[in-house]
Amino acid sequence: MQLAFEEKGDVTVVRVQEAKLTYPVLSSFFSEVKQRVEGGARLMVMDLAAVSYLDSASIGCLMDVHRLLQEKGGALRLSGLQPRVETMISMTGVHKIIPLHRDEEDALAAFSERRGGPR
């Protein structure tokens, strides 16, 4: 599982660097993200720009990440979705629960607006 983590202020950006986010890689994906949350990450942007395909198990995993962050008082935002991935997420209704953003900058700006501070 290829993930890159970057701290931008109090937001952890997770860049998924896999073309397919599917069941076989989900346990390592979730454990790496969970480790960050247990280490104190509360606001997270999941950059899915490199992902061209995800399956229903992946969508469930994103919901698990969302719940994990929410339980700790945090939040998850998704960014950079390719059209096929965005369609899958929209078809399942996840976009009503986890905000979607055109790109990472939009997602980071939305966290700033939520806190009422400058970008």
Side-chain angles (χ1 to χ4, degrees), residues 65-107:
V65 171
H66 165 73
R67 274 191 289 281
L68 181 65
L69 283 161
Q70 208 170 38
E71 287 169 4
K72 307 263 187 195
L76 174 66
R77 295 180 184 275
L78 304 179
S79 72
L81 281 70
Q82 293 187 26
R84 182 178 183 180
V85 171
E86 187 171 356
T87 298
M88 284 288 295
I89 289 188
S90 296
M91 284 173 46
T92 59
V94 169
H95 66 291
K96 296 176 183 173
I97 300 164
I98 304 173
L100 308 181
H101 297 275
R102 185 181 35 146
D103 55 34
E104 182 182 310
E105 290 73 29
D106 278 357

Side-chain angles (χ1 to χ4, degrees), residues 1-95:
M1 177 84 246
Q2 295 288 319
L3 294 177
F5 294 91
E6 183 179 351
E7 304 301 321
K8 293 207 171 183
D10 58 351
V11 180
T12 301
V13 178
V14 182
R15 290 189 186 86
V16 180
Q17 300 171 322
E18 299 277 344
K20 292 183 177 185
L21 185 58
T22 56
Y23 179 74
V25 298
L26 290 182
S27 87
S28 64
F29 168 77
F30 186 72
S31 72
E32 286 189 52
V33 171
K34 184 177 179 184
Q35 192 173 2
R36 291 291 173 137
V37 174
E38 288 172 350
R42 294 297 174 262
L43 302 178
M44 189 171 283
V45 172
M46 189 79 57
D47 180 353
L48 300 175
V51 179
S52 58
Y53 178 80
L54 47 73
D55 60 11
S56 59
S58 303
I59 292 172
C61 188
L62 291 173
M63 289 301 298
D64 289 342
V65 171
H66 165 73
R67 274 191 289 281
L68 181 65
L69 283 161
Q70 208 170 38
E71 287 169 4
K72 307 263 187 195
L76 174 66
R77 295 180 184 275
L78 304 179
S79 72
L81 281 70
Q82 293 187 26
R84 182 178 183 180
V85 171
E86 187 171 356
T87 298
M88 284 288 295
I89 289 188
S90 296
M91 284 173 46
T92 59
V94 169
H95 66 291

